[in-house]
Amino acid sequence: MISTDETERVRQIAVWSRALTVAECDRVRAGMQIRTYGRGETLGAEGQPVEHWIGVLEGLVKVGTVSPDGKDITFAGMHAGGWFGEGSLLKNECRRYEVVALRPTRAVLLDRATFFWLYENSVPFNQFLITQLNERLGQFIGLIEHARKLDTTTRVARALAGLFNPVLYPGAGQTLAITQEELGLLAGVSRPIANQALRDLERQGLVHVTYGEVTVPDPLALMHLGEERQINTE
DNA sequence: ACATTAAATTCGA
DNA sequence: TCGAATTTAATGT
């Protein structure tokens, strides 16, 4: 069970919770706990049973895997408002990816029993899940489609644009607190390369870089950098 | 890897 | 509690 002021914060980042009745909300609160993670700490290890659906309250986490040849592959970055783990929960399988905090992070954990109770009882919750899955699918299709010709600047642009997805991170503004090192970790490039890419993007007017944060006026333009045509993911 | 700049923290009044 | 001094963090090349 989480406290009342924590509930307030959870409501801010969990759009799906806003449509719940008071009774539903109480039940969900009872299945929640809040945990904090230090830099580099694991929120969920690859191959481990998945016991929770996790939402990021604050901080930054990286979802990815380490391939057999030792290459570190990042699938997505997550910040406040991002939820993950529903795929493994629904399929009742162990976690396919590792989830690591890139900076001190606070997250809310919803236990699997409550997750499934919502899944079976709440229409808004299911709508949220479907919307989120669909959004992710669109992003991955874009990734696969252009995986071949991704230069470093485009990779950084993608990683950054992903963090500005308005469906996955509702309520986020145009400015995100992220260091160039963190962005490099998400994009799979070194910090100096991330710096170079950001300056490149800034020259193109796609981003504005200030100390410890990046402003993106048009995330879609950033996401579709380098594409000749728009992909239809409907 | 190094030099520069920004921010956060400490410390003395 | 104010601001200067110091340390730590982030950036740019």
Side-chain angles (χ1 to χ4, degrees):
Chain A
M1 172 69 94
I2 60 177
S3 71
T4 21
D5 55 325
E6 286 169 337
T7 303
E8 200 41 53
R9 177 60 184 148
V10 170
R11 290 181 77 89
Q12 285 172 11
I13 64 114
V15 280
W16 53 269
S17 73
R18 291 177 199 161
L20 300 180
T21 66
V22 175
E24 287 171 333
C25 214
D26 285 345
R27 172 152 192 164
V28 168
R29 278 180 57 199
M32 280 178 164
Q33 56 177 303
I34 299 221
R35 275 210 53 187
T36 60
Y37 301 86
R39 190 188 308 274
E41 213 175 325
T42 299
L43 285 77
E46 192 168 356
Q48 290 304 113
V50 177
E51 293 306 323
H52 302 278
W53 190 47
I54 302 178
V56 179
L57 292 171
E58 52 208 39
L60 184 67
V61 306
K62 186 182 80 161
V63 181
T65 188
V66 180
S67 64
D69 54 328
K71 276 189 181 172
D72 189 48
I73 301 170
T74 300
F75 295 127
M78 294 249 178
H79 57 117
W83 291 83
F84 62 90
E86 69 281 346
S88 297
L89 277 172
L90 289 170
K91 285 183 277 184
N92 194 27
E93 67 185 11
C94 292
R95 200 177 289 290
R96 308 269 289 274
Y97 319 115
E98 60 165 13
V99 185
V100 177
L102 292 183
R103 77 166 87 117
T105 292
R106 211 152 62 95
V108 54
L109 281 60
L110 180 71
D111 66 47
R112 74 179 295 129
T114 312
F115 175 88
F116 277 101
W117 180 79
L118 278 167
Y119 181 60
E120 281 154 22
N121 292 284
S122 168
V123 169
F125 180 74
N126 281 277
Q127 289 172 338
F128 175 85
L129 282 184
I130 288 177
T131 307
Q132 164 158 312
L133 289 167
N134 191 39
E135 199 61 34
R136 290 230 189 92
L137 179 62
Q139 284 200 6
F140 280 114
I141 286 174
L143 266 178
I144 292 161
E145 181 86 3
H146 299 92
R148 296 178 176 186
K149 55 173 177 183
L150 286 193
D151 60 307
T152 53
T153 298
T154 319
R155 297 233 313 264
V156 171
R158 287 287 162 76
L160 187 54
L163 295 173
F164 280 91
N165 185 312
V167 177
L168 263 27
Y169 308 103
Q174 298 195 326
T175 300
L176 173 70
I178 187 171
T179 67
Q180 299 180 1
E181 171 145 33
E182 290 166 340
L183 187 54
L185 288 169
L186 290 180
V189 301
S190 69
R191 203 267 305 160
I193 294 296
N195 174 272
Q196 189 184 299
L198 279 174
R199 323 203 102 258
D200 193 357
L201 294 170
E202 190 160 42
R203 270 196 301 279
Q204 298 179 48
L206 290 167
V207 303
H208 182 241
V209 180
T210 52
Y211 189 89
E213 54 181 33
V214 180
T215 301
V216 177
D218 184 357
L220 279 179
L222 195 58
M223 182 60 85
H224 295 300
L225 176 69
E227 291 182 24
E228 273 127 70
R229 64 191 165 82
Q230 187 101 2
I231 316 156
N232 185 3
T233 57
E234 301 295 322

